[in-house]
Amino acid sequence: MPTFAFDSDDLGRTEAFLNQAYAKMRIGGDTRSSRTQILRDAAGTVSVDRLDLNHNMSYDVTPLGRLCLCTVQSGTIRNRVAGDAEDVYGPGDTVVLAPPDRPYEGEVQRSRYVITMLDPGLLADVTGAEEPVRLLDHRPVSADAGRRLARTIEHVRGDLLADPQATELPLMLSAASQLLAATVLSTFPNSALTSDTGGSRDDRPVSVRRAISFMEDNTANPISTADVAAAARVSVRSLQYAFRAHLGTTPMGHLRRVRLAAAHADLRAADPATTTVTGVATRWGFLHAGRFAAAYKAAYGHPPSGTLRD
């Protein structure tokens, strides 16, 4: 069931409701036909609203304090964030309607659309950034990225926010919020992926860089995903999302790559008369000789025995 439902053809009542549900705003429209329907599903710091307007409605909104996304299903929305040029959105567009700290205005033209709002702090939580993360464009990096975000929003709404039992499970809500935030970061250019550190460009989030540094410092030690997440200062789930998004693997998958590189270095430096491939593999946590040999050959183009002999 939705958290609330609103249905009115009275513009005054609609304006009062929107002021309560979103932020202070002024609206205007065709008073002869002005039905507005809103269904909200929400939990924690995330809300997803489905709106249906059978009329044109202008709006002028103060800063929301939350990141506001919009997916247009029908009709047209003309929108202008303070300081930017006006843009026009149509069916299939998923965009940043407004950043948390800037007012915006525009007009909804007989449209069905979805408004998704989330705490901007979620973006920093996912990346492990110490500063607030800013989205640098209101349009997705690609059409595929926009469609992926729209599917994620619908999954979060339909499978989680709309399920009363799911909304009572804190871990599930946290995972859903982090999934949504991670998808937003992969959809729009953002400051977490373009910041420079130490004068050199590294597009990986700071949480991923911290995690990799911790792995490299503890390659020979028994460490878990939880240990890596603690060192990266993010949750395990956030770390997993970040590694999938930016490295295409899991944290433990990357740790195996690091240890494979360490085994490769050992094999190159070893004396074949006193060293075995199995001994090196075991030292770096590879207990299955056949799997180690297959992973090694995939990475270096030849079996580990060839490196040891040479």
Side-chain angles (χ1 to χ4, degrees), residues 18-62:
L18 294 176
N19 273 268
Q20 180 181 17
Y22 297 100
K24 184 177 180 181
M25 69 176 71
R26 293 181 295 105
I27 67 169
D30 184 353
T31 57
R32 294 168 299 177
S33 175
S34 56
R35 187 178 185 187
T36 301
Q37 296 174 292
I38 305 173
L39 299 175
R40 168 171 287 186
D41 296 291
T45 60
V46 175
S47 64
V48 180
D49 297 353
R50 291 165 288 164
L51 298 94
D52 188 350
L53 279 66
N54 73 345
H55 59 102
N56 293 354
M57 182 188 79
S58 60
Y59 56 85
D60 186 350
V61 189
T62 60

Side-chain angles (χ1 to χ4, degrees), residues 131-301:
E131 300 293 331
V133 176
R134 294 176 294 104
L135 300 184
L136 305 178
D137 198 344
H138 54 276
R139 291 275 188 176
V141 295
S142 68
D144 285 344
R147 286 189 287 268
R148 183 170 58 248
L149 176 56
R151 290 195 300 270
T152 301
I153 291 170
E154 180 54 27
H155 163 63
V156 169
R157 186 204 67 78
D159 296 338
L160 297 169
L161 300 184
D163 183 343
Q165 292 181 327
T167 57
E168 295 176 359
L169 301 174
L171 290 179
M172 186 171 291
L173 284 178
S174 175
S177 299
Q178 291 167 0
L179 170 62
L180 180 58
T183 308
V184 168
L185 289 170
S186 68
T187 301
F188 302 100
N190 61 83
S191 59
L193 302 183
T194 58
S195 60
D196 291 341
T197 301
S200 62
R201 181 185 176 93
D202 187 344
D203 284 345
R204 298 171 301 191
V206 64
S207 61
V208 173
R209 298 199 298 269
R210 286 188 188 128
I212 292 173
S213 178
F214 178 76
M215 291 178 188
E216 292 173 347
D217 290 342
N218 293 274
T219 306
N221 299 326
I223 56 176
S224 67
T225 303
D227 295 327
V228 179
R233 305 177 204 169
V234 294
S235 70
V236 168
R237 183 70 67 180
S238 294
L239 186 72
Q240 291 170 331
Y241 288 144
F243 267 70
R244 280 293 185 194
H246 300 283
L247 297 180
T249 186
T250 63
M252 290 298 99
H254 184 78
L255 180 59
R256 284 191 293 272
R257 293 176 185 173
V258 172
R259 288 175 171 162
L260 190 65
H264 174 64
D266 275 6
L267 289 169
R268 291 185 62 188
D271 180 352
T274 58
T275 304
T276 65
V277 169
T278 300
V280 171
T282 301
R283 182 185 310 153
W284 294 108
F286 298 94
L287 303 183
H288 192 287
R291 291 174 186 166
F292 171 73
Y296 188 95
K297 185 174 182 180
Y300 297 103

